[in-house]
Amino acid sequence: MKFIRRIVDSIKPHFEKGGRFEKLHPAFDALETFLFVPGETTSGGVHVRDAIDLKRTMVTVIIALVPTMLFGMWNVGYQHHLAYGMEAGLMDNFMFGFWKVLPIIVVSYAAGLGVEFIFAVVKGHSVSEGYLVTGLLIPLTLPVTVPLWMVALAAIFCTLLGKEIFGGTGMNFMNPALLARAFLFFAFPAYMSGDIWTDLSPEAGQAIVDAYSGATNLVTFDTNHTLLPSAGDMFWGFEQGSIGETSVFACLIGAFILIATGIGSWKIIVSCFAGAYFMGLILNGLAPDDLPMHSMHTPAYYHWLMGGFAFGAVYMATDPVSAAQTERGKWIYGLLIGAFTVILRVFNPAYPEGVMLSILLMNVFAPLIDHVVVERHIKRRLKRA
Amino acid sequence: MQHLLSLLVKSIFVENVIFAFFLGMCSFLAVSKKIKTAFGLGLAVIFVMILTTPLNYLILTYMLGEGALAWIHPSLASVDLTFLSFILFISTIAGAVQLVEMIVEKFTPALYNALGIFLPLITVNCSILGTSLFMQEREYNFSETLVFSLGAGIGFFLAIVLLAAIRERLQYSNIPEPLKGLGIAMIITGLMGMAFLSFSGIQL
């Protein structure tokens, strides 16, 4: 550690005022504060001191994301070996997935942080930690076969147009990671749907087994819901899908961490699940009896287990910046996300996965929800006075 | 009944005048700085829509369409005045806007001042003429026209109030100087349009 400290100290004067690389100070500052706790006291008017700062918040979210990431890596290997009918151990599966997923994560961080650094240098503020979470969320929402240039494009797009243009972390109104996912989904539909969910890079002397099907559960669900895998398989996550979304169990571990540390709002998570369940029940009631395979007949709790619902509800909907800010607004926001997800899944054949779009849409509605809640509150208080 | 209901949902969400057709962008971008004024303009647009589109429908069916004048005298059955539809539609709209202006000035002078030039400019709000022209092109009957104009109005109302809420929230954002105002509003509109894409493809 002392060694690193000495290097940092030796190059520090160049980045101070009057130094050769004065303009690059934000980049240096970001690196230094990432490695060491800064030894300066606050200057200026605000002296709020809290153990939880932005850096710690972001790191907690990353820790909460680790279970989904590790499981996702294992599942990439598992699905690959399953498609070729090969037996593979735990480590084989994991290492295969690790080397497939790692480049995606590295590219996502490099592209997004690059944009952040450029903006920080040009605008002369310090680099914010906001991208640490976004940069990990983007790979987890993508299929493993995604080309790396698309990852870079999406990361640049979402950092630039989703965040920096509004002034950086905490000032945007849409979840940047979801924006990246939606951007790719609409711009490159051929790469984002169809037979892409399992890595099918050829294996020596092996052919793809006959039982292999590239369809995710959501596609199966649209055509014939009785063919869905068992609820247990979907809960643990032995299914095809984007890297991080398959395992509901891993998402629940993450939800536990987020709720226990108070970083994710339990109200949003609970109301998301409740909204989906109620909507599922309503559709069960309305389902036509003469079409027993119609997706409206799906048991309501299946909506919790299929696709990326749990992932979206736990990690995406709880983003404190783009969600509703008022406590009552959070309930409404979550319920609408859940209900709308199920509506999209059932009624919109063009988009099998509704979670991403329903959260984006509610991001758009969140400021209005807040406004209505606040106005109603003011009216009630005025009446009481 | 179910058909009309799905037409309503379709015209509000799936074929939103702003996000699917980009009609009426000028007032959408200009009057969306505050929720209150956006709310007022939205209501005014709904009112003008449900007044003018059915009126234009009647004009179209009983005066302009091919053979529409047959009710006066059978010899007029061959007359086709459809080429006059633009000019008559827009005069209906201008008349209706005059009415709205008088009502708003009389009852809510504060809103009248806040809306300023954009209230009379509803006359040339493309979403209103657009709704009338869609009515003509898609050959809606009278009840469909009523529902469609209501849906299109609510769609505009929803869009402008949503944008105003977002812009009010972004007041404290550190938006780069050159993008402040219209620039960022355009970008927000684009991002909102992306979220509204979730409705496209819904079969009703």
Side-chain angles (χ1 to χ4, degrees):
Chain A
M1 269 332 229
K2 271 197 179 140
F3 172 67
I4 304 174
R5 179 77 252 181
R6 223 174 299 147
I7 294 179
V8 171
D9 279 341
S10 71
I11 58 172
K12 196 169 184 175
H14 299 305
F15 293 96
E16 298 288 306
K17 261 216 167 85
R20 242 184 308 168
F21 305 115
E22 185 194 334
K23 280 225 168 83
L24 290 173
H25 181 259
F28 173 78
D29 183 58
L31 192 73
E32 194 196 6
T33 51
F34 186 77
L35 292 169
F36 299 101
V37 176
E40 293 148 23
T41 52
T42 52
S43 55
V46 183
H47 291 286
V48 178
R49 286 281 187 163
D50 198 329
I52 289 281
D53 58 357
L54 191 60
K55 225 166 242 180
R56 203 141 306 170
T57 310
M58 294 299 172
V59 167
T60 315
V61 182
I62 290 182
I63 292 172
L65 274 167
V66 165
T68 55
M69 186 180 73
L70 293 181
F71 184 87
M73 286 173 172
W74 175 84
N75 194 41
V76 166
Y78 174 73
Q79 294 296 340
H80 170 82
H81 290 120
L82 198 67
Y84 284 97
M86 293 160 70
E87 289 289 319
L90 180 74
M91 270 327 271
D92 287 344
N93 282 335
F94 180 76
M95 287 319 284
F96 180 89
F98 179 77
W99 290 114
K100 290 285 172 194
V101 176
L102 191 66
I104 304 179
I105 295 178
V106 170
V107 167
S108 152
Y109 270 124
L113 284 176
V115 176
E116 288 254 352
F117 270 74
I118 293 170
F119 262 82
V121 168
V122 172
K123 292 176 78 179
H125 62 71
S126 53
V127 178
S128 157
E129 296 82 1
Y131 192 74
L132 290 179
V133 171
T134 311
L136 189 57
L137 278 173
I138 295 174
L140 292 182
T141 56
L142 295 175
V144 67
T145 56
V146 67
L148 292 179
W149 60 268
M150 269 168 52
V151 180
L153 195 65
I156 292 170
F157 174 84
C158 83
T159 327
L160 201 62
L161 282 180
K163 203 163 74 178
E164 286 305 331
I165 229 168
F166 297 105
T169 304
M171 299 186 174
N172 46 320
F173 77 101
M174 264 182 176
N175 186 329
L178 268 182
L179 199 61
R181 174 71 160 80
F183 168 70
L184 288 185
F185 183 80
F186 289 124
F188 306 100
Y191 289 92
M192 298 302 281
S193 58
D195 196 357
I196 51 155
W197 303 105
T198 300
D199 182 81
L200 293 177
S201 46
E203 285 279 343
Q206 297 284 342
I208 297 174
V209 293
D210 292 338
Y212 168 76
S213 136
T216 59
N217 291 331
L218 288 156
V219 177
T220 317
F221 154 83
D222 256 353
T223 45
N224 181 353
H225 82 91
T226 52
L227 293 180
L228 283 173
S230 72
D233 273 3
M234 293 202 290
F235 177 75
W236 297 109
F238 308 128
E239 55 180 339
Q240 301 185 67
S242 300
I243 296 167
E245 71 172 12
T246 55
S247 173
V248 178
F249 178 68
C251 291
L252 288 182
I253 299 177
F256 177 75
I257 297 174
L258 288 182
I259 291 172
T261 52
I263 284 171
S265 160
W266 64 271
K267 287 174 189 164
I268 293 179
I269 300 178
V270 168
S271 57
C272 272
F273 278 82
Y277 191 73
F278 287 137
M279 201 62 209
L281 284 185
I282 292 173
L283 292 183
N284 282 164
L286 295 174
D289 287 329
D290 49 331
L291 296 169
M293 289 184 303
H294 195 278
S295 47
M296 281 164 87
H297 283 292
T298 319
Y301 68 93
Y302 262 53
H303 285 290
W304 293 351
L305 307 173
M306 278 188 300
F309 180 76
F311 189 83
V314 172
Y315 298 110
M316 297 292 195
T318 53
D319 172 13
V321 179
S322 57
Q325 316 275 324
T326 50
E327 295 305 307
R328 193 169 299 209
K330 283 177 184 165
W331 285 107
I332 304 171
Y333 171 82
L335 281 173
L336 286 175
I337 288 179
F340 194 64
T341 303
V342 175
I343 292 178
L344 274 188
R345 277 180 177 177
V346 173
F347 292 115
N348 198 342
Y351 311 137
E353 180 54 292
V355 182
M356 164 185 86
L357 291 166
S358 71
I359 297 177
L360 273 186
L361 193 74
M362 285 310 137
N363 283 172
V364 171
F365 275 78
L368 187 63
I369 296 175
D370 279 341
H371 176 79
V372 172
V373 169
V374 170
E375 287 292 310
R376 280 188 56 126
H377 190 68
I378 292 173
K379 249 182 213 156
R380 211 178 47 235
R381 294 295 290 264
L382 277 180
K383 221 180 259 171
R384 206 187 298 164
Chain B
M1 196 57 215
Q2 206 178 2
H3 162 68
L4 289 182
L5 199 67
S6 73
L7 182 67
L8 183 70
V9 174
K10 204 167 150 185
S11 52
I12 296 176
F13 294 109
V14 185
E15 295 180 350
N16 188 294
V17 278
I18 295 284
F19 297 121
F21 294 111
F22 294 97
L23 291 172
M25 291 301 280
C26 22
S27 47
F28 173 72
L29 291 173
V31 196
S32 54
K33 286 195 195 82
K34 278 216 170 89
I35 297 183
K36 235 181 202 149
T37 43
F39 191 83
L41 185 82
L43 283 185
V45 167
I46 294 184
F47 181 76
V48 176
M49 285 252 199
I50 55 177
L51 195 68
T52 56
T53 320
L55 211 60
N56 284 336
Y57 173 82
L58 294 177
I59 290 174
L60 186 69
T61 16
Y62 293 107
M63 282 170 69
L64 300 178
E66 199 179 344
L69 287 174
W71 59 275
I72 298 177
H73 194 270
S75 64
L76 292 171
S78 59
V79 180
D80 182 4
L81 295 175
T82 343
F83 63 91
L84 286 176
S85 57
F86 279 103
I87 200 157
L88 272 183
F89 284 2
I90 207 80
S91 7
T92 324
I93 293 167
V97 170
Q98 284 300 311
L99 194 65
V100 173
E101 211 184 334
M102 283 191 271
I103 295 172
V104 173
E105 191 180 7
K106 173 84 184 153
F107 292 106
T108 50
L111 181 65
Y112 181 78
N113 288 329
L115 289 175
I117 186 69
F118 287 98
L119 190 56
L121 275 183
I122 296 181
T123 313
V124 284
N125 185 328
C126 356
S127 62
I128 292 172
L129 182 63
T131 310
S132 283
L133 293 174
F134 276 135
M135 173 271 292
Q136 181 185 16
E137 190 184 288
R138 296 177 185 165
E139 297 175 346
Y140 286 138
N141 63 30
F142 189 69
S143 50
E144 281 170 339
T145 305
L146 268 180
V147 170
F148 176 66
S149 59
L150 179 68
I154 295 175
F156 183 89
F157 172 81
L158 189 68
I160 196 169
V161 173
L162 281 175
L163 179 68
I166 291 173
R167 286 179 77 172
E168 271 198 8
R169 172 152 158 195
L170 291 182
Q171 262 174 4
Y172 303 104
S173 288
N174 182 15
I175 296 162
E177 205 55 49
L179 277 175
K180 274 187 182 149
L182 271 186
I184 202 75
M186 287 279 212
I187 291 168
I188 298 170
T189 311
L191 295 178
M192 287 168 79
M194 208 151 129
F196 264 75
L197 266 181
S198 52
F199 293 106
S200 69
I202 288 187
Q203 305 290 327
L204 282 170

